[in-house]
Amino acid sequence: MTLTVTNPILPGFNADPSICRVGDDYYIATSTFEWYPGVQISHSKDLKNWRVISRPLNRPAQLNMLGNPDSCGIWAPCLTYSDGLFWLIYTDVKRLNGNFKDSHNYLVTSDTIDGDWSDPVFLNSSGFDPSLFHDDNGQKWLVNMVWDYRHTNNRFGGILLQEYDHDKKQLVGPIDNIFKGSSHGLVEGPHVYKHNGYYYLFTAEGGTSYEHVETVARSRYLKGPYELMPSVYLVTSKEHPNNYLQRSGHGSYCDTPDGDFVFVHLCSRPMRNSGRSPLGRETSLQMMTWKNDWPVLTHGSAAPLTTVEVPITQEMPFEMQQARIEFNEPVLDIRFQWLRNPYPEEFIDLNSRPGYLRLKGFESLGSTFRSSLVALRQTDFKYQASTKMEFNPKDYQQMAGLVCYYNTHKYHYLYVSYDEVKNRRRLGIMSCVAGATWNSEFPLYDELNELEIPQSGALYLRANIDYSVLYFSWSIDGEDWKKIDVRLDASILSDEAGTGEGSNFTGAFSGICCQDLAGQKRSADFEYFEYLNL
């Protein structure tokens, strides 16, 4: 008996998957970049149904990303299980553009996947995408790509290997560059495995866009030399432009209890009309087998399948999550994340007014330090997001509302603020496209004035996205909605938009936020947030 799995298995922003099996439980760790808490771990018992179970890096000692640029932070985690512990390796990247990356690699461990994780062990800063390999003789080895800042050299300088001593909690011994990559170039994302007497080095190559691939090399010896597999690529979409899953590559594998093999990899689903991917880089699954001691996808092609049969005898779905998230608990729903700040108590308040989320206004949506925003991933091409908000600004520098957000340079924001000339609350739409900010309040102002926005009490705000089109609406009762007749380009909320191909690596979010640029920390109260797949 098999189950039919439809890709992607982790829709929305879920890049660089690292899969790990413990007994009958499967776990996938994915990159979270500037979003906090760091590293997203999803859980499944049947490879079909997945649910976020943990974000381990949740305190300042483990992760502080204040000031990190967009698309920096947590890159390509590696999750493994050995010696009765979960081991999580991750990079905190501090710089994106320019010759330097300033990428720091760490290790944390835990007895349980959803428990408290240890304080981090610093490993090195020589590159990014670190991974830990547990050899069958008990030794542990770290691999990571090495970043070469010299402009005359290949920036992607190969894969470094060094032994890790857990008793000393440090790397020890010589550092070896064991693999320079294939001719495709830009080698990164290494994982080492051992199978049937060979060491296998899985790497991603070709960058993060449409030339992305996963390559495999093998050696009888851990330190090499490594030979490339005859077909070079295990998975790629670069020669299949009509494949539903594009940008396929960076991945990892595990076995099943019955000895089958599962390979998970990143991919994206670009919209056909624009070529843009607002859902970001997602995670898909393929079945893998071995042929002449080389891994190959079971269906016989490197092009990924959208529908895959997995050898699982019983489906084990999770209870359906409610679309409407109410704020009745002392902690945020696990679907929410925020940006960079390891001190959420500064701006998130679930206690002062029971049943409400109070957001204290801090810096602008363009800030890389303290932005009062909580949001969840866009996982569908057509969706509706709404909230009920109470906010009484006293200054034009105070704003709060509903935002469709990609990063500090790409967002659409329906907000309530204050007009000091007319001495009243008013609505505005603020959009930012790769640094060019404009405020749609000006062409909308007369129309919104005619709608007589109430000067006190709650407002309902709503966003409707239909692929590349976004419209905002508002209401005073949650039933009679008034559509704002401004057609917004939702495709800007994507990796590819605005700042150059491959310049961003995350995905679109929808959420609620509050700003007080005057520094008075004026707050907004939210009764619920609802996300509906349409």
Side-chain angles (χ1 to χ4, degrees):
M1 180 178 176
T2 62
L3 290 180
T4 301
V5 171
T6 300
N7 283 317
I9 55 171
L10 302 181
F13 162 43
N14 280 282
D16 311 321
S18 172
I19 191 169
C20 169
R21 180 182 64 83
V22 181
D24 293 327
D25 295 282
Y26 298 88
Y27 304 101
I28 295 178
T30 52
S31 299
T32 44
F33 292 84
E34 68 263 37
W35 290 91
Y36 210 97
V39 180
Q40 180 155 291
I41 299 179
S42 300
H43 170 232
S44 177
K45 282 185 170 292
D46 61 9
L47 296 172
K48 177 178 181 178
N49 298 282
W50 296 84
R51 179 68 51 86
V52 175
I53 192 172
S54 176
R55 293 198 187 92
L57 308 179
N58 56 19
R59 60 183 188 268
Q62 296 170 321
L63 182 64
N64 186 335
M65 298 187 291
L66 289 172
N68 280 24
D70 292 332
S71 287
C72 287
I74 299 299
W75 287 14
C78 172
L79 178 67
T80 55
Y81 184 81
S82 179
D83 307 320
L85 289 174
F86 288 96
W87 306 69
L88 180 66
I89 305 281
Y90 62 96
T91 304
D92 179 10
V93 178
K94 297 299 185 184
R95 188 182 185 193
L96 180 64
N97 296 319
N99 285 33
F100 301 97
K101 278 288 179 282
D102 298 320
S103 52
H104 310 304
N105 297 316
Y106 301 93
L107 163 69
V108 292
T109 59
S110 178
D111 295 331
T112 58
I113 197 75
D114 56 353
D116 289 331
W117 290 69
S118 68
D119 283 345
V121 174
F122 171 74
L123 298 171
N124 66 28
S125 300
S126 58
F128 47 85
D129 294 1
S131 177
L132 191 65
F133 168 60
H134 308 270
D135 208 342
D136 50 21
N137 64 1
Q139 288 181 291
K140 301 183 186 302
W141 298 85
L142 183 79
V143 288
N144 63 269
M145 69 79 67
V146 58
W147 181 258
D148 190 335
Y149 68 89
R150 297 169 293 183
H151 72 278
T152 56
N153 288 25
N154 181 358
R155 300 285 173 83
F156 291 73
I159 304 302
L160 299 186
L161 172 79
Q162 190 176 14
E163 187 177 358
Y164 173 70
D165 187 322
H166 191 53
D167 292 331
K168 295 180 179 179
K169 290 185 168 45
Q170 65 182 40
L171 295 171
V172 296
I175 303 170
D176 295 289
N177 193 324
I178 61 172
F179 185 63
K180 293 286 189 175
S182 77
S183 60
H184 196 53
L186 308 180
V187 63
E188 57 185 334
H191 293 294
V192 175
Y193 302 93
K194 195 172 187 179
H195 177 79
N196 200 23
Y198 282 101
Y199 292 94
Y200 291 87
L201 181 59
F202 284 57
T203 61
E205 291 190 295
T208 61
S209 193
Y210 292 87
E211 295 297 307
H212 195 53
V213 303
E214 180 80 353
T215 59
V216 179
R218 75 182 183 189
S219 174
R220 289 290 186 183
Y221 306 98
L222 179 61
K223 295 186 178 183
Y226 282 84
E227 60 171 327
L228 281 165
M229 65 188 296
S231 60
V232 184
Y233 311 132
L234 175 64
V235 64
T236 184
S237 306
K238 73 184 185 70
E239 296 166 356
H240 306 275
N242 294 320
N243 196 301
Y244 182 61
L245 305 176
Q246 289 295 310
R247 300 163 69 192
S248 300
H250 192 139
S252 63
Y253 83 84
C254 73
D255 62 356
T256 71
D258 294 328
D260 295 297
F261 295 89
V262 176
F263 180 76
V264 294
H265 62 94
L266 66 75
C267 64
S268 73
R269 293 178 287 167
M271 297 184 293
R272 296 303 182 190
N273 61 339
S274 67
R276 293 175 173 177
S277 310
L279 303 187
R281 294 179 300 153
E282 307 171 283
T283 290
S284 285
L285 174 152
Q286 311 294 326
M287 294 305 300
M288 190 183 87
T289 188
W290 299 87
K291 185 177 181 180
N292 298 323
D293 284 327
W294 288 107
V296 293
L297 300 187
T298 303
H299 62 274
S301 168
L305 296 178
T306 302
T307 302
V308 178
E309 297 296 319
V310 298
I312 301 294
T313 58
Q314 181 181 357
E315 184 170 356
M316 302 185 70
F318 293 96
E319 182 180 346
M320 183 70 70
Q321 290 177 307
Q322 295 296 315
R324 177 169 292 196
I325 301 173
E326 297 179 335
F327 302 109
N328 298 316
E329 302 296 330
V331 294
L332 278 178
D333 187 286
I334 197 170
R335 286 171 283 181
F336 283 117
Q337 285 185 275
W338 58 93
L339 290 164
R340 299 179 177 87
N341 192 345
Y343 308 104
E345 65 278 6
E346 290 183 344
F347 66 96
I348 294 174
D349 182 357
L350 288 159
N351 299 313
S352 293
R353 187 180 179 188
Y356 288 81
L357 167 61
R358 175 165 292 173
L359 290 180
K360 297 178 184 178
F362 273 84
E363 297 170 345
S364 72
L365 285 174
S367 173
T368 59
F369 286 86
R370 285 175 165 83
S371 180
S372 299
L373 178 154
V374 297
L376 49 76
R377 283 159 175 73
Q378 178 183 339
T379 54
D380 308 280
F381 289 110
K382 298 177 68 172
Y383 78 90
Q384 176 179 287
S386 60
T387 190
K388 180 183 178 182
M389 179 184 76
E390 295 181 29
F391 181 57
N392 294 297
K394 300 299 182 184
D395 187 284
Y396 73 93
Q397 292 180 305
Q398 297 166 343
M399 296 169 279
L402 177 69
V403 65
C404 298
Y405 182 95
Y406 180 91
N407 64 17
T408 62
H409 298 290
K410 306 178 194 179
Y411 57 80
H412 295 298
Y413 182 22
L414 176 63
Y415 66 97
V416 174
S417 190
Y418 186 77
D419 183 339
E420 75 277 18
V421 176
K422 295 183 179 285
N423 192 30
R424 49 175 282 166
R425 287 200 308 180
R426 45 74 170 176
L427 273 176
I429 296 175
M430 181 182 299
S431 294
C432 184
V433 184
T437 305
W438 69 92
N439 193 326
S440 298
E441 168 194 332
F442 296 106
L444 284 173
Y445 188 83
D446 290 339
E447 179 183 348
L448 294 182
N449 185 50
E450 294 172 2
L451 294 175
E452 298 182 358
I453 307 300
Q455 295 308 294
S456 62
L459 282 178
Y460 294 80
L461 307 176
R462 188 169 74 185
N464 283 88
I465 281 188
D466 187 344
Y467 287 84
S468 294
V469 178
L470 164 63
Y471 283 101
F472 285 121
S473 307
W474 69 279
S475 173
I476 59 173
D477 59 10
E479 295 181 3
D480 180 20
W481 288 92
K482 299 171 176 61
K483 180 180 177 181
I484 300 173
D485 193 22
V486 174
R487 178 185 172 116
L488 298 167
D489 181 5
S491 77
I492 69 157
L493 310 173
S494 64
D495 296 355
E496 299 91 345
T499 54
E501 182 182 14
S503 295
N504 303 117
F505 314 126
T506 56
F509 282 68
S510 183
I512 47 184
C513 58
C514 182
Q515 298 83 39
D516 190 338
L517 308 183
Q520 303 303 310
K521 299 182 183 178
R522 195 157 193 88
S523 61
D525 289 352
F526 297 87
E527 187 173 329
Y528 70 85
F529 181 83
E530 184 175 70
Y531 178 98
L532 291 171
N533 171 20
L534 300 181

